[in-house]
Amino acid sequence: MAGLWHQVLRTMSQPGASPDDDLLAQAAADIALREHPQPPPDAQVVLEIARNEFAAVLTVGQARAALDRARRMSRGGPAR
């Protein structure tokens, strides 16, 4: 996950560049899994975190996909 956070910092610190929404969705999903273990987070939690932490507006589909990916990664599975 350290690589994810390095990418988030790099993409958000580039002046004039648009952050990668999928990357920010993944970061928000990572936060959701760590901070909301019970009950398990859903897409709405990911959307709220993305909006509050990164000022990112995501789709529900992006949030769900990122949350699924984060769950697989937390279990040691492949990211995709």
Side-chain angles (χ1 to χ4, degrees), residues 11 21 24 28 31 33 39 42-44 54 70-71 77:
T11 192
D21 285 345
L24 297 180
I31 292 169
L33 287 178
D42 61 12
Q44 292 303 315
F54 308 116
R71 284 184 176 128

Side-chain angles (χ1 to χ4, degrees), residues 12-53:
M12 293 190 74
S13 67
Q14 295 175 353
S18 296
D20 180 337
D21 285 345
D22 289 334
L23 181 65
L24 297 180
Q26 190 62 44
D30 182 54
I31 292 169
L33 287 178
R34 283 187 284 122
E35 293 185 359
H36 302 278
Q38 295 298 326
D42 61 12
Q44 292 303 315
V45 172
V46 174
L47 292 172
E48 183 177 328
I49 290 170
R51 186 174 46 252
N52 292 337
E53 297 294 326

